[in-house]
Structure formats: structure tokens, C-alpha cells
Amino acid sequence: MSLPGPIDPPARLLMGPGPITADPRVLRAMSAQLVGQYDPFMTDAMNEVMGLYRQVFVTGNQQTLLIDSTARGAIEAALVSLLEPGDRVLVPVMGRFGHLLVEIAQRCGAEVHTVDIEWGRIAELDVIEAALERVRPTLLATVHGDTSTTVLQPFDGLKELCERYDCLLYADVTATIGGNPFLTDAWGVDAATGGLQKCLGGPSGSAPATFSARAVEVIERRKSIEAGIRAEGDAVAAHPIRSNYFDLGMIFDYWSSRRLNHHTEATTMLYGARECARLVLEEGLEAYQARHALHGRAMLAGVQGLGLEVFGDLEHKMANIVGVAIPDGVDGEAVRGTMLADFGIEIGTSFGPLAGRVWRIGTMGYNARTDAVLTTLSALETVLRRVGVAVPTGGGVDAAYDAYGAAA
Ligand SMILES: *Cc1c(COP(=O)(O)O)cnc(C)c1O
């Protein structure tokens, strides 16, 4: 058996729902040398990361940190730490990731109630209110932007509802953070978890997250301190969080000045996450979001310019992704295959009720760029024509140019 060669991936332009092409600056940051877990350089870098992500999440939350896992792990950390078996939780299910919240909350032993919304639509405030009134949950858990449907859930009014019905508010912001406005404190969000591989322009494997004082209080009551490092005066929780790795109380203790050992912080991922936040804040959070809005609009105009139907409620579309109806009679997977093989461009497929019906094209992070948008539209036009779809010549690129012109 011969030894596989060093890793040498092909050149790709990742224009799907994530991961997207990482910003080269993030990759360079991730090639920096390791330091020890408690090296002052490392603990300073952890503190810097907390400060940077407070700005990205627009929050004053002390507990703003990285969870060492992909976004899914961070969702699990939040839910397993906030929910006790038997707690009631309400989840508006509007797409694939709503189903994921249900699945994880069920595994936490919670009593899960859902509001089921047709894919492609938002959950209206009065529908959520009626469910809160009926269920009286301790937690309302919702996805902010569900990449499976491209729809952005409005948060207006949720803060007041959660106050009235006395429940915590959790948001999965994996696909939206950085590229779409998200105001943790102003919107009354108690817990929000993200990931690097969508709008933040990094790889998957680290999840920025933030927790309000109310959420921290719930978690602290249930946190454990492991026998080997427990000090005199440290209480033992009566109902400990049912995960060790994802015990947020222990993770808080590790990121706090106590620096109680938990796992070894994923140093290389932290370097990457730090650079992702620096990219956002150097450009300016609002400018970063405006760039996502601009290139998202251009991509939307472009696919419409090709005469393609767009999926979902456009009034509430995420800035960074568009769902494109696969024309009748076209093999969506064959088109994706040709885009990849001949142009090196990846666009996304869909899940569940949308499988085989919708492609998803992302414009986010490093790839929220004019050249990435125009190249993708141009390649899509060519591939569609070759499979027999009568697309207008130059219709996609021209419409995108117009969108850029109109914005300038
Ligand atoms: C991509 C995504 C996830 C899952 O992220 P992983 O890093 O793959 O675990 C979760 N929620 C939403 C809304 C996403 O878009």
C-alpha cells in the first residue's frame, strides 16, 4: 500500500450554503505555532476573543466565548446546559435546523412542543404568542436564519413575549451571524450560538456563542466541578448538566479568571476564530453586513435574470443565500456535478421537502464578492444551456451588473 501524498485540495469556489471558501487570512492565522494551554499569550488571546465576539454579537454579555465543536455541538451545549429533563421548550420549526433543535432538546429529556411552519415562510409573532400561552415553556428555541429554506426569522417582539411568558430565548445564528443584523442584547436573546463556516469566512469546528446573565444563572445552578479539581467551598450540583464536554458551567470556569481545567482549548481553531472576528470588525460590522446584502441582492437579481424561479419568502430572505427552483425536467445533481467538474464551483443541494427541487447558492464571508457572483452566474448559464434550458444569453451577469450599478 502506498502512502497517500500530502493534502492538496483542488481549487474550488464554494458558493453553497457553507462551508464557503475560507478567507486566506484565517488560514494563515491557523498556521501559527501552538502555545501552552495556560501560557499568558494563550489566556490573553482567549480574553481578546471574548472581547471581539462581544462586538460581533453586539452584546455586553461576559460569557461570550468559543465552544470547541461545530455549530451543532454548540447548539447541544446550549440546550443540554439550559434544559433539565421535563422542562418544556417551544420550537418553531420552519426548516431542517428547527427539526435539529427539536431532536437535541428531546435528547436532553425536555418536553418539546413545536409550531410547524411551511418551509419557506417565517413564524408570525401571533402564532408564537399563542403557542407560548398554551405551552408555557421555560425556553423558546428558534433558528434565526435557516439555511435549508433561506428565510430569516424576524426577532421583533420576541423579547417582549419572552418577558411576558417568563421564558429564556435561544437562537441558532450559525448561518446568519456577521452577515445579517443580529442584536443579542437589544433583542433580548439569552443564548445564541454560531459557527465560523458561513458568513464569518472560516472553517467549521469552532462555535462563537454568547449567554446572558439570566442564562448564566440557570447554568451556574447546575454546573459541576470535577472531583479532581474541586476546591473547598465548591458546591456539588443536585441536578448536574448531563454532559461533561458540553457543560457550559465548566466551560465558563475555564474561560473565567479561575481558569479551571476542562478540555484543552482548540488553539488552532481559536486563532482562526479570532481572525474571523478581526475581519468583520476591521471592515466594520455594518459594512460587513452591507457587503452581504449587496452581493446577495446581485446574486438574486442574477438568477432571476436567467429566468429562474426563486424559492421562499423574499420579504424575509437571508442576505447570504438564495434558493433557486430547479427548472422542470432538469437533473439538479447533474448540473451541480458539471458546475464542480468543469468550473470548480460548488453550489448547494437541498433537504427534506426541497430535495431535488431547489439549489442553494451562497454569497457569504470571503465569497461575498463581485467576481465570485459574476463567475458563478456565468458558469450556471453555460451549464444550464448545455442541458437544454433556454436561458437568456448573459441574462444573469447583466442583471447582477445592474444590481451593482443601482447600488453604486
Ligand atoms: C450550517 C448550520 C448548522 C450546522 O453547522 P455545523 O457546523 O455543520 O454543525 C446549524 N444551524 C444552521 C442554521 C446552519 O446553517
CSV table of all heavy atoms in Angstrom, one decimal, residues 17-23 26-27 30 49 53 56-57 65-72 74 172-179 193-209 265-280 288 292 364-366:
chain,number,residue,atom,x,y,z
A,17,PRO,N,-24.3,26.6,0.7
A,17,PRO,CA,-24.8,27.1,2.0
A,17,PRO,C,-23.7,27.0,3.1
A,17,PRO,O,-24.1,27.3,4.2
A,17,PRO,CB,-26.0,26.2,2.3
A,17,PRO,CG,-25.7,24.9,1.6
A,17,PRO,CD,-24.9,25.3,0.4
A,18,GLY,N,-22.5,26.7,2.8
A,18,GLY,CA,-21.5,26.5,3.8
A,18,GLY,C,-21.1,25.0,3.9
A,18,GLY,O,-22.0,24.2,3.8
A,19,PRO,N,-19.8,24.7,4.1
A,19,PRO,CA,-18.7,25.7,4.2
A,19,PRO,C,-18.5,26.5,3.0
A,19,PRO,O,-18.7,26.0,1.9
A,19,PRO,CB,-17.5,24.9,4.6
A,19,PRO,CG,-17.7,23.6,3.9
A,19,PRO,CD,-19.2,23.4,4.0
A,20,ILE,N,-18.0,27.7,3.1
A,20,ILE,CA,-17.6,28.5,2.0
A,20,ILE,C,-16.0,28.6,2.0
A,20,ILE,O,-15.4,28.2,3.0
A,20,ILE,CB,-18.2,29.9,2.0
A,20,ILE,CG1,-17.9,30.6,3.3
A,20,ILE,CG2,-19.7,29.8,1.8
A,20,ILE,CD1,-17.0,31.8,3.1
A,21,THR,N,-15.5,29.0,0.9
A,21,THR,CA,-14.0,29.2,0.8
A,21,THR,C,-13.5,30.1,2.0
A,21,THR,O,-14.1,31.2,2.2
A,21,THR,CB,-13.7,29.9,-0.5
A,21,THR,OG1,-14.5,29.4,-1.6
A,21,THR,CG2,-12.2,29.8,-0.9
A,22,ALA,N,-12.6,29.5,2.7
A,22,ALA,CA,-12.1,30.3,3.9
A,22,ALA,C,-11.3,31.5,3.4
A,22,ALA,O,-10.6,31.4,2.4
A,22,ALA,CB,-11.3,29.4,4.8
A,23,ASP,N,-11.4,32.6,4.2
A,23,ASP,CA,-10.5,33.7,3.9
A,23,ASP,C,-9.1,33.3,4.1
A,23,ASP,O,-8.7,32.8,5.1
A,23,ASP,CB,-10.9,34.9,4.8
A,23,ASP,CG,-10.3,36.2,4.4
A,23,ASP,OD1,-9.0,36.3,4.4
A,23,ASP,OD2,-11.0,37.1,4.0
A,26,VAL,N,-7.6,33.9,7.4
A,26,VAL,CA,-7.9,32.9,8.5
A,26,VAL,C,-7.0,31.7,8.4
A,26,VAL,O,-6.5,31.2,9.5
A,26,VAL,CB,-9.4,32.5,8.4
A,26,VAL,CG1,-9.8,31.5,9.5
A,26,VAL,CG2,-10.3,33.8,8.5
A,27,LEU,N,-6.8,31.2,7.2
A,27,LEU,CA,-5.9,30.1,7.1
A,27,LEU,C,-4.5,30.4,7.5
A,27,LEU,O,-3.8,29.6,8.2
A,27,LEU,CB,-5.9,29.6,5.6
A,27,LEU,CG,-7.2,29.2,5.1
A,27,LEU,CD1,-7.1,28.7,3.6
A,27,LEU,CD2,-7.8,28.0,5.9
A,30,MET,N,-4.3,30.3,11.2
A,30,MET,CA,-4.3,29.0,11.7
A,30,MET,C,-3.0,28.2,11.5
A,30,MET,O,-2.9,27.1,12.0
A,30,MET,CB,-5.5,28.2,11.1
A,30,MET,CG,-6.8,28.8,11.5
A,30,MET,SD,-8.2,28.0,10.8
A,30,MET,CE,-8.2,26.4,11.7
A,49,VAL,N,-10.5,37.2,22.3
A,49,VAL,CA,-11.6,36.6,21.5
A,49,VAL,C,-13.0,36.9,22.2
A,49,VAL,O,-13.9,37.2,21.5
A,49,VAL,CB,-11.4,35.0,21.4
A,49,VAL,CG1,-12.7,34.3,21.0
A,49,VAL,CG2,-10.3,34.7,20.4
A,53,TYR,N,-15.8,38.9,20.0
A,53,TYR,CA,-17.1,38.4,19.7
A,53,TYR,C,-18.3,39.1,20.5
A,53,TYR,O,-19.4,39.1,20.0
A,53,TYR,CB,-17.2,36.9,20.0
A,53,TYR,CG,-16.6,36.2,18.7
A,53,TYR,CD1,-15.3,35.8,18.7
A,53,TYR,CD2,-17.4,36.1,17.6
A,53,TYR,CE1,-14.8,35.2,17.5
A,53,TYR,CE2,-16.9,35.5,16.4
A,53,TYR,CZ,-15.6,35.1,16.4
A,53,TYR,OH,-15.0,34.6,15.2
A,56,VAL,N,-19.1,41.4,17.8
A,56,VAL,CA,-19.8,40.7,16.7
A,56,VAL,C,-21.3,40.4,17.1
A,56,VAL,O,-22.2,40.5,16.2
A,56,VAL,CB,-19.1,39.4,16.3
A,56,VAL,CG1,-19.9,38.6,15.2
A,56,VAL,CG2,-17.7,39.7,15.7
A,57,PHE,N,-21.5,40.0,18.3
A,57,PHE,CA,-22.8,39.6,18.8
A,57,PHE,C,-23.6,40.9,19.3
A,57,PHE,O,-24.8,40.8,19.7
A,57,PHE,CB,-22.8,38.6,19.9
A,57,PHE,CG,-22.6,37.2,19.5
A,57,PHE,CD1,-21.4,36.5,19.6
A,57,PHE,CD2,-23.7,36.5,18.9
A,57,PHE,CE1,-21.2,35.2,19.2
A,57,PHE,CE2,-23.5,35.1,18.5
A,57,PHE,CZ,-22.3,34.5,18.7
A,65,LEU,N,-17.9,33.5,24.3
A,65,LEU,CA,-16.7,32.6,24.1
A,65,LEU,C,-16.9,31.7,23.0
A,65,LEU,O,-17.8,31.7,22.2
A,65,LEU,CB,-16.4,31.9,25.5
A,65,LEU,CG,-17.7,31.3,26.2
A,65,LEU,CD1,-18.3,30.2,25.5
A,65,LEU,CD2,-17.3,30.9,27.6
A,66,LEU,N,-15.9,30.8,22.9
A,66,LEU,CA,-15.9,29.8,21.8
A,66,LEU,C,-16.3,28.4,22.4
A,66,LEU,O,-15.7,28.1,23.5
A,66,LEU,CB,-14.6,29.6,21.1
A,66,LEU,CG,-14.0,30.9,20.5
A,66,LEU,CD1,-12.6,30.6,19.9
A,66,LEU,CD2,-15.0,31.4,19.4
A,67,ILE,N,-17.1,27.7,21.7
A,67,ILE,CA,-17.4,26.3,22.1
A,67,ILE,C,-16.6,25.5,21.0
A,67,ILE,O,-16.7,25.7,19.8
A,67,ILE,CB,-18.9,26.0,22.1
A,67,ILE,CG1,-19.5,26.9,23.2
A,67,ILE,CG2,-19.1,24.5,22.4
A,67,ILE,CD1,-21.0,26.9,23.3
A,68,ASP,N,-15.8,24.6,21.5
A,68,ASP,CA,-14.9,23.8,20.6
A,68,ASP,C,-15.7,22.7,20.0
A,68,ASP,O,-15.6,21.5,20.4
A,68,ASP,CB,-13.7,23.3,21.4
A,68,ASP,CG,-12.7,24.4,21.7
A,68,ASP,OD1,-12.8,25.5,21.2
A,68,ASP,OD2,-11.8,24.2,22.6
A,69,SER,N,-16.4,23.0,18.9
A,69,SER,CA,-17.1,22.0,18.2
A,69,SER,C,-17.7,22.7,17.0
A,69,SER,O,-17.5,23.9,16.8
A,69,SER,CB,-18.3,21.5,19.0
A,69,SER,OG,-19.3,22.5,19.1
A,70,THR,N,-18.3,21.9,16.1
A,70,THR,CA,-19.0,22.6,15.0
A,70,THR,C,-20.3,23.2,15.6
A,70,THR,O,-20.6,23.1,16.8
A,70,THR,CB,-19.4,21.6,13.9
A,70,THR,OG1,-20.5,20.8,14.4
A,70,THR,CG2,-18.2,20.7,13.5
A,71,ALA,N,-21.0,23.9,14.8
A,71,ALA,CA,-22.2,24.6,15.2
A,71,ALA,C,-23.2,23.7,16.0
A,71,ALA,O,-23.8,24.1,17.0
A,71,ALA,CB,-22.9,25.3,14.1
A,72,ARG,N,-23.3,22.5,15.4
A,72,ARG,CA,-24.2,21.6,16.0
A,72,ARG,C,-23.9,21.3,17.5
A,72,ARG,O,-24.7,21.2,18.4
A,72,ARG,CB,-24.2,20.3,15.2
A,72,ARG,CG,-25.1,19.2,15.8
A,72,ARG,CD,-25.0,17.9,14.9
A,72,ARG,NE,-25.5,18.2,13.6
A,72,ARG,CZ,-26.5,17.5,13.0
A,72,ARG,NH1,-27.1,16.6,13.6
A,72,ARG,NH2,-26.8,17.8,11.8
A,74,ALA,N,-22.4,23.3,19.5
A,74,ALA,CA,-22.7,24.5,20.3
A,74,ALA,C,-24.2,24.5,20.6
A,74,ALA,O,-24.6,24.9,21.7
A,74,ALA,CB,-22.3,25.7,19.6
A,172,ASP,N,-30.3,30.0,17.2
A,172,ASP,CA,-29.2,29.4,16.4
A,172,ASP,C,-28.9,30.4,15.3
A,172,ASP,O,-29.7,30.6,14.4
A,172,ASP,CB,-29.7,28.1,15.8
A,172,ASP,CG,-28.7,27.5,14.7
A,172,ASP,OD1,-27.6,28.1,14.5
A,172,ASP,OD2,-29.0,26.5,14.1
A,173,VAL,N,-27.7,31.0,15.4
A,173,VAL,CA,-27.3,32.1,14.4
A,173,VAL,C,-26.2,31.6,13.5
A,173,VAL,O,-25.5,32.5,12.9
A,173,VAL,CB,-27.0,33.4,15.2
A,173,VAL,CG1,-28.2,33.9,16.0
A,173,VAL,CG2,-25.8,33.2,16.1
A,174,THR,N,-26.0,30.3,13.5
A,174,THR,CA,-24.9,29.8,12.7
A,174,THR,C,-24.8,30.4,11.3
A,174,THR,O,-23.7,30.8,10.9
A,174,THR,CB,-25.1,28.3,12.5
A,174,THR,OG1,-25.3,27.7,13.8
A,174,THR,CG2,-23.8,27.6,11.9
A,175,ALA,N,-25.9,30.5,10.6
A,175,ALA,CA,-25.9,30.8,9.2
A,175,ALA,C,-26.0,32.3,9.0
A,175,ALA,O,-25.8,32.8,7.9
A,175,ALA,CB,-27.0,30.1,8.5
A,176,THR,N,-26.3,33.1,10.1
A,176,THR,CA,-26.6,34.5,9.9
A,176,THR,C,-25.5,35.4,10.5
A,176,THR,O,-25.4,36.5,10.1
A,176,THR,CB,-27.9,34.8,10.5
A,176,THR,OG1,-28.0,34.2,11.8
A,176,THR,CG2,-29.1,34.3,9.7
A,177,ILE,N,-24.9,35.0,11.6
A,177,ILE,CA,-24.0,35.9,12.4
A,177,ILE,C,-23.0,36.5,11.5
A,177,ILE,O,-22.3,35.8,10.7
A,177,ILE,CB,-23.5,35.2,13.6
A,177,ILE,CG1,-22.9,36.3,14.6
A,177,ILE,CG2,-22.4,34.1,13.3
A,177,ILE,CD1,-23.9,37.1,15.3
A,178,GLY,N,-22.8,37.8,11.6
A,178,GLY,CA,-21.8,38.6,10.8
A,178,GLY,C,-22.5,39.1,9.6
A,178,GLY,O,-22.4,40.3,9.3
A,179,GLY,N,-23.2,38.3,8.8
A,179,GLY,CA,-23.7,38.7,7.5
A,179,GLY,C,-25.1,39.3,7.5
A,179,GLY,O,-25.6,40.0,6.6
A,193,THR,N,-25.8,30.8,19.5
A,193,THR,CA,-24.6,30.0,19.1
A,193,THR,C,-24.5,30.1,17.6
A,193,THR,O,-25.4,30.1,16.9
A,193,THR,CB,-24.7,28.5,19.6
A,193,THR,OG1,-25.8,27.9,18.9
A,193,THR,CG2,-24.9,28.4,21.1
A,194,GLY,N,-23.2,30.1,17.2
A,194,GLY,CA,-22.9,30.3,15.8
A,194,GLY,C,-21.9,29.2,15.3
A,194,GLY,O,-21.8,28.1,15.8
A,195,GLY,N,-21.2,29.6,14.2
A,195,GLY,CA,-20.2,28.8,13.6
A,195,GLY,C,-19.4,29.7,12.7
A,195,GLY,O,-19.8,30.8,12.4
A,196,LEU,N,-18.2,29.2,12.3
A,196,LEU,CA,-17.3,30.1,11.5
A,196,LEU,C,-17.6,29.9,10.0
A,196,LEU,O,-17.2,30.8,9.3
A,196,LEU,CB,-15.9,29.7,11.8
A,196,LEU,CG,-15.3,29.9,13.2
A,196,LEU,CD1,-13.8,29.6,13.2
A,196,LEU,CD2,-15.7,31.2,13.8
A,197,GLN,N,-18.2,28.8,9.6
A,197,GLN,CA,-18.1,28.5,8.2
A,197,GLN,C,-19.1,29.1,7.3
A,197,GLN,O,-19.2,28.7,6.1
A,197,GLN,CB,-18.0,27.0,8.0
A,197,GLN,CG,-19.4,26.2,8.1
A,197,GLN,CD,-19.7,25.8,9.5
A,197,GLN,OE1,-19.3,26.5,10.5
A,197,GLN,NE2,-20.4,24.7,9.7
A,198,LYS,N,-19.9,30.0,7.8
A,198,LYS,CA,-20.9,30.6,6.9
A,198,LYS,C,-20.4,32.1,6.7
A,198,LYS,O,-19.4,32.3,6.0
A,198,LYS,CB,-22.3,30.5,7.5
A,198,LYS,CG,-22.6,29.1,8.1
A,198,LYS,CD,-23.2,28.2,7.1
A,198,LYS,CE,-23.3,26.7,7.6
A,198,LYS,NZ,-24.5,26.3,8.1
A,199,CYS,N,-21.1,33.0,7.3
A,199,CYS,CA,-20.7,34.4,7.0
A,199,CYS,C,-19.4,34.8,7.5
A,199,CYS,O,-18.8,35.8,7.1
A,199,CYS,CB,-21.8,35.4,7.5
A,199,CYS,SG,-23.4,35.1,6.7
A,200,LEU,N,-18.8,34.1,8.5
A,200,LEU,CA,-17.6,34.5,9.2
A,200,LEU,C,-16.3,34.2,8.4
A,200,LEU,O,-15.2,34.6,8.7
A,200,LEU,CB,-17.5,34.0,10.6
A,200,LEU,CG,-18.6,34.6,11.5
A,200,LEU,CD1,-18.5,34.0,12.9
A,200,LEU,CD2,-18.5,36.1,11.6
A,201,GLY,N,-16.5,33.4,7.4
A,201,GLY,CA,-15.4,33.1,6.5
A,201,GLY,C,-14.3,32.2,7.0
A,201,GLY,O,-13.1,32.3,6.5
A,202,GLY,N,-14.6,31.3,7.9
A,202,GLY,CA,-13.6,30.4,8.5
A,202,GLY,C,-14.0,29.0,8.2
A,202,GLY,O,-15.0,28.7,7.6
A,203,PRO,N,-13.3,28.0,8.8
A,203,PRO,CA,-13.6,26.6,8.7
A,203,PRO,C,-14.6,26.2,9.8
A,203,PRO,O,-14.8,27.0,10.8
A,203,PRO,CB,-12.3,25.9,8.9
A,203,PRO,CG,-11.5,26.8,9.8
A,203,PRO,CD,-12.0,28.2,9.5
A,204,SER,N,-15.3,25.2,9.6
A,204,SER,CA,-16.2,24.7,10.7
A,204,SER,C,-15.3,24.1,11.8
A,204,SER,O,-14.1,23.7,11.5
A,204,SER,CB,-17.1,23.6,10.2
A,204,SER,OG,-16.4,22.4,9.9
A,205,GLY,N,-15.8,24.0,13.0
A,205,GLY,CA,-15.0,23.4,14.1
A,205,GLY,C,-14.8,24.3,15.3
A,205,GLY,O,-14.3,23.9,16.3
A,206,SER,N,-15.3,25.5,15.2
A,206,SER,CA,-15.3,26.4,16.4
A,206,SER,C,-16.6,27.2,16.4
A,206,SER,O,-17.1,27.6,15.3
A,206,SER,CB,-14.2,27.4,16.4
A,206,SER,OG,-14.2,28.3,17.5
A,207,ALA,N,-17.3,27.3,17.5
A,207,ALA,CA,-18.6,28.0,17.5
A,207,ALA,C,-18.6,29.1,18.5
A,207,ALA,O,-18.7,28.9,19.7
A,207,ALA,CB,-19.6,26.9,17.9
A,208,PRO,N,-18.6,30.4,18.0
A,208,PRO,CA,-18.7,31.5,18.9
A,208,PRO,C,-20.1,31.5,19.5
A,208,PRO,O,-21.1,31.1,18.8
A,208,PRO,CB,-18.6,32.7,18.0
A,208,PRO,CG,-18.0,32.2,16.7
A,208,PRO,CD,-18.4,30.7,16.6
A,209,ALA,N,-20.2,31.8,20.8
A,209,ALA,CA,-21.5,31.8,21.5
A,209,ALA,C,-21.6,32.8,22.6
A,209,ALA,O,-20.5,33.3,23.1
A,209,ALA,CB,-21.7,30.4,22.1
A,265,GLU,N,-8.3,23.9,25.2
A,265,GLU,CA,-8.9,24.8,24.2
A,265,GLU,C,-8.2,24.5,22.8
A,265,GLU,O,-7.0,24.3,22.7
A,265,GLU,CB,-8.6,26.3,24.6
A,265,GLU,CG,-9.0,27.3,23.6
A,265,GLU,CD,-10.5,27.3,23.2
A,265,GLU,OE1,-11.3,26.7,23.9
A,265,GLU,OE2,-10.8,27.8,22.1
A,266,ALA,N,-9.1,24.4,21.8
A,266,ALA,CA,-8.6,24.1,20.4
A,266,ALA,C,-7.8,25.3,19.9
A,266,ALA,O,-8.4,26.2,19.2
A,266,ALA,CB,-9.7,23.7,19.6
A,267,THR,N,-6.6,25.4,20.2
A,267,THR,CA,-5.7,26.6,20.0
A,267,THR,C,-5.8,27.0,18.5
A,267,THR,O,-6.0,28.2,18.2
A,267,THR,CB,-4.3,26.2,20.3
A,267,THR,OG1,-4.2,25.5,21.6
A,267,THR,CG2,-3.4,27.5,20.4
A,268,THR,N,-5.6,26.1,17.6
A,268,THR,CA,-5.6,26.5,16.2
A,268,THR,C,-7.0,27.1,15.7
A,268,THR,O,-7.0,28.0,15.0
A,268,THR,CB,-5.2,25.3,15.3
A,268,THR,OG1,-3.9,24.8,15.8
A,268,THR,CG2,-5.1,25.6,13.9
A,269,MET,N,-8.0,26.5,16.2
A,269,MET,CA,-9.4,27.0,15.9
A,269,MET,C,-9.6,28.4,16.5
A,269,MET,O,-10.2,29.2,15.9
A,269,MET,CB,-10.5,26.0,16.4
A,269,MET,CG,-10.6,24.7,15.6
A,269,MET,SD,-10.7,24.9,13.8
A,269,MET,CE,-12.1,26.0,13.6
A,270,LEU,N,-9.0,28.5,17.7
A,270,LEU,CA,-9.1,29.9,18.3
A,270,LEU,C,-8.4,30.9,17.5
A,270,LEU,O,-8.9,32.0,17.3
A,270,LEU,CB,-8.6,29.8,19.8
A,270,LEU,CG,-8.7,31.2,20.5
A,270,LEU,CD1,-9.3,31.0,21.9
A,270,LEU,CD2,-7.3,31.8,20.6
A,271,TYR,N,-7.2,30.6,17.0
A,271,TYR,CA,-6.5,31.5,16.1
A,271,TYR,C,-7.4,31.9,14.9
A,271,TYR,O,-7.5,33.0,14.5
A,271,TYR,CB,-5.2,30.9,15.6
A,271,TYR,CG,-4.1,30.7,16.6
A,271,TYR,CD1,-3.0,29.9,16.3
A,271,TYR,CD2,-4.1,31.2,17.9
A,271,TYR,CE1,-2.0,29.6,17.1
A,271,TYR,CE2,-3.1,30.9,18.8
A,271,TYR,CZ,-2.0,30.1,18.4
A,271,TYR,OH,-1.0,29.8,19.3
A,272,GLY,N,-8.1,30.9,14.4
A,272,GLY,CA,-8.9,31.1,13.2
A,272,GLY,C,-10.1,31.9,13.6
A,272,GLY,O,-10.5,32.9,12.9
A,273,ALA,N,-10.8,31.6,14.7
A,273,ALA,CA,-12.0,32.3,15.1
A,273,ALA,C,-11.6,33.8,15.4
A,273,ALA,O,-12.4,34.7,15.1
A,273,ALA,CB,-12.6,31.7,16.3
A,274,ARG,N,-10.5,34.0,16.0
A,274,ARG,CA,-10.0,35.4,16.3
A,274,ARG,C,-9.8,36.2,15.0
A,274,ARG,O,-10.3,37.3,14.9
A,274,ARG,CB,-8.7,35.3,17.1
A,274,ARG,CG,-8.1,36.6,17.5
A,274,ARG,CD,-6.8,36.3,18.3
A,274,ARG,NE,-6.1,37.4,18.7
A,274,ARG,CZ,-5.3,38.2,17.9
A,274,ARG,NH1,-5.1,37.8,16.6
A,274,ARG,NH2,-4.6,39.2,18.4
A,275,GLU,N,-9.3,35.5,14.0
A,275,GLU,CA,-9.0,36.3,12.7
A,275,GLU,C,-10.4,36.5,12.0
A,275,GLU,O,-10.6,37.6,11.4
A,275,GLU,CB,-8.1,35.5,11.8
A,275,GLU,CG,-7.6,36.3,10.6
A,275,GLU,CD,-6.7,37.5,11.0
A,275,GLU,OE1,-6.3,37.6,12.2
A,275,GLU,OE2,-6.5,38.3,10.1
A,276,CYS,N,-11.3,35.6,12.1
A,276,CYS,CA,-12.7,35.8,11.6
A,276,CYS,C,-13.3,37.1,12.2
A,276,CYS,O,-13.8,37.9,11.4
A,276,CYS,CB,-13.6,34.6,11.8
A,276,CYS,SG,-13.2,33.1,10.9
A,277,ALA,N,-13.2,37.2,13.5
A,277,ALA,CA,-13.8,38.4,14.1
A,277,ALA,C,-13.1,39.6,13.7
A,277,ALA,O,-13.7,40.7,13.5
A,277,ALA,CB,-13.8,38.2,15.6
A,278,ARG,N,-11.7,39.5,13.6
A,278,ARG,CA,-11.0,40.7,13.2
A,278,ARG,C,-11.4,41.1,11.8
A,278,ARG,O,-11.4,42.3,11.6
A,278,ARG,CB,-9.5,40.3,13.3
A,278,ARG,CG,-8.8,40.6,14.6
A,278,ARG,CD,-7.4,40.1,14.7
A,278,ARG,NE,-6.6,40.3,13.4
A,278,ARG,CZ,-6.1,41.4,13.0
A,278,ARG,NH1,-6.2,42.5,13.7
A,278,ARG,NH2,-5.5,41.4,11.8
A,279,LEU,N,-11.6,40.2,10.9
A,279,LEU,CA,-12.0,40.5,9.6
A,279,LEU,C,-13.3,41.3,9.6
A,279,LEU,O,-13.5,42.3,8.9
A,279,LEU,CB,-12.2,39.3,8.7
A,279,LEU,CG,-10.9,38.6,8.2
A,279,LEU,CD1,-11.2,37.2,7.7
A,279,LEU,CD2,-10.4,39.5,7.0
A,280,VAL,N,-14.3,40.9,10.4
A,280,VAL,CA,-15.6,41.5,10.5
A,280,VAL,C,-15.4,42.9,11.0
A,280,VAL,O,-15.9,43.9,10.5
A,280,VAL,CB,-16.6,40.7,11.4
A,280,VAL,CG1,-17.9,41.5,11.6
A,280,VAL,CG2,-16.8,39.4,10.8
A,288,TYR,N,-19.7,45.1,6.9
A,288,TYR,CA,-19.7,43.7,6.6
A,288,TYR,C,-21.0,43.2,6.2
A,288,TYR,O,-21.2,42.4,5.2
A,288,TYR,CB,-19.1,43.0,7.8
A,288,TYR,CG,-18.6,41.6,7.6
A,288,TYR,CD1,-17.3,41.4,7.2
A,288,TYR,CD2,-19.4,40.5,7.8
A,288,TYR,CE1,-16.8,40.1,7.1
A,288,TYR,CE2,-18.9,39.2,7.7
A,288,TYR,CZ,-17.6,39.0,7.3
A,288,TYR,OH,-17.1,37.7,7.2
A,292,HIS,N,-22.7,41.8,2.5
A,292,HIS,CA,-23.5,40.6,2.3
A,292,HIS,C,-24.8,41.0,1.6
A,292,HIS,O,-25.3,40.3,0.7
A,292,HIS,CB,-23.7,39.9,3.6
A,292,HIS,CG,-22.6,39.1,4.1
A,292,HIS,ND1,-21.4,39.7,4.6
A,292,HIS,CD2,-22.3,37.8,4.0
A,292,HIS,CE1,-20.6,38.7,4.9
A,292,HIS,NE2,-21.1,37.6,4.5
A,364,MET,N,-21.3,34.5,0.8
A,364,MET,CA,-21.0,34.9,2.2
A,364,MET,C,-19.5,34.9,2.5
A,364,MET,O,-18.7,34.3,1.8
A,364,MET,CB,-21.8,34.0,3.1
A,364,MET,CG,-21.6,32.5,2.9
A,364,MET,SD,-22.7,31.6,4.0
A,364,MET,CE,-23.8,30.7,2.8
A,365,GLY,N,-19.2,35.6,3.6
A,365,GLY,CA,-17.8,35.7,4.0
A,365,GLY,C,-16.9,36.1,2.9
A,365,GLY,O,-17.2,37.1,2.2
A,366,TYR,N,-15.8,35.4,2.7
A,366,TYR,CA,-14.8,35.7,1.7
A,366,TYR,C,-15.5,35.7,0.3
A,366,TYR,O,-15.0,36.4,-0.6
A,366,TYR,CB,-13.7,34.6,1.8
A,366,TYR,CG,-12.6,34.8,0.9
A,366,TYR,CD1,-11.8,36.0,0.9
A,366,TYR,CD2,-12.2,33.9,-0.1
A,366,TYR,CE1,-10.7,36.2,0.1
A,366,TYR,CE2,-11.1,34.0,-0.9
A,366,TYR,CZ,-10.4,35.2,-0.8
A,366,TYR,OH,-9.3,35.4,-1.6
